[in-house]
Amino acid sequence: MMIQILIVLSASMCGGAVGFAIADALKKKRSYIDDMVNILEQMLNFIRYNHMKLSEVFTAVDGERRFFITDELITAADSGVGFENEWQICVEKLAYLQKDDKAPLYFLSESLGKSDTEGQIAVILSARERLLHQLEKAKSDYERKGRMFRTLGILSGAALGIICI
């Protein structure tokens, strides 16, 4: 009898761990999108108020933490050579984000650094609005689906444990 209880508990814990891992991925997605919105807002401020070059903006925005921006992107922003490609490489590295989440960032690669200050501000504002929409969607998904995945993980693990008995 004790072994059967241990089997059910172990299976529940394993299922719960899977459910919590999936819910955590939803939480990280929400966090990544929020970080990107913050980066775009900082970029807006640096371009609008400080009239900084794109490479200076990237250095100031991401600093030492290098969450998104790479040295190669900063170099490409300075030279103008390969900027779009480097930007897309940086976007691809954003784990936990799906194609829809990355679309506003890809949109930026087509226009950023190719127009005057007002044009860049307009492009960043547009991308930020699209990202804010994705952020609201990610928050909603986490609230609804996160709890569901955690509960389903535990319950499916318990059901599997009972079946094994």
Side-chain angles (χ1 to χ4, degrees), residues 98-154:
Q98 272 88 40
K99 187 177 181 180
D100 292 346
D101 305 319
K102 293 178 181 181
L105 299 172
Y106 286 131
F107 167 73
L108 277 175
S109 73
E110 299 166 5
S111 305
L112 202 58
K114 297 179 183 173
S115 63
D116 63 353
T117 301
E118 293 305 314
Q120 289 188 76
I121 289 171
V123 168
I124 294 170
L125 281 171
S126 175
R128 186 188 67 142
E129 288 305 312
R130 292 172 60 190
L131 269 178
L132 284 171
H133 175 72
Q134 292 301 114
L135 180 60
E136 288 305 314
K137 194 171 147 186
K139 286 179 180 178
S140 173
D141 282 352
Y142 177 69
E143 292 299 320
R144 283 182 304 113
K145 294 178 183 177
R147 187 176 324 134
M148 177 190 68
F149 283 128
R150 289 186 295 269
T151 304
L152 272 175
I154 293 169

Side-chain angles (χ1 to χ4, degrees), residues 3-125:
I3 292 177
Q4 295 169 336
I5 292 172
L6 286 174
I7 289 173
V8 171
L9 286 174
S10 296
S12 295
M13 288 173 44
C14 289
V18 170
F20 275 85
I22 294 170
D24 188 53
L26 291 175
K27 186 177 183 179
K28 286 182 181 174
K29 174 183 174 177
R30 182 185 72 181
S31 176
Y32 270 47
I33 295 173
D34 190 41
D35 286 345
M36 291 310 303
V37 168
N38 289 333
I39 285 174
L40 292 184
E41 288 173 353
Q42 289 176 15
M43 287 174 65
L44 271 172
N45 291 332
F46 283 127
I47 291 172
R48 181 181 285 150
Y49 301 116
N50 297 348
H51 306 291
M52 296 170 94
K53 294 187 324 183
L54 210 48
S55 60
E56 295 171 336
V57 169
F58 290 151
T59 302
V61 165
D62 217 13
E64 293 298 315
R65 72 184 177 139
R66 294 291 187 237
F67 164 72
F68 172 68
I69 296 168
T70 62
D71 291 333
E72 291 81 11
L73 181 64
I74 294 170
T75 303
D78 260 344
S79 68
V81 177
F83 174 76
E84 189 171 339
N85 186 46
E86 285 301 324
W87 180 269
Q88 290 181 1
I89 289 170
C90 290
V91 171
E92 281 301 313
K93 290 179 183 176
L94 292 172
Y96 303 105
L97 300 186
Q98 272 88 40
K99 187 177 181 180
D100 292 346
D101 305 319
K102 293 178 181 181
L105 299 172
Y106 286 131
F107 167 73
L108 277 175
S109 73
E110 299 166 5
S111 305
L112 202 58
K114 297 179 183 173
S115 63
D116 63 353
T117 301
E118 293 305 314
Q120 289 188 76
I121 289 171
V123 168
I124 294 170
L125 281 171

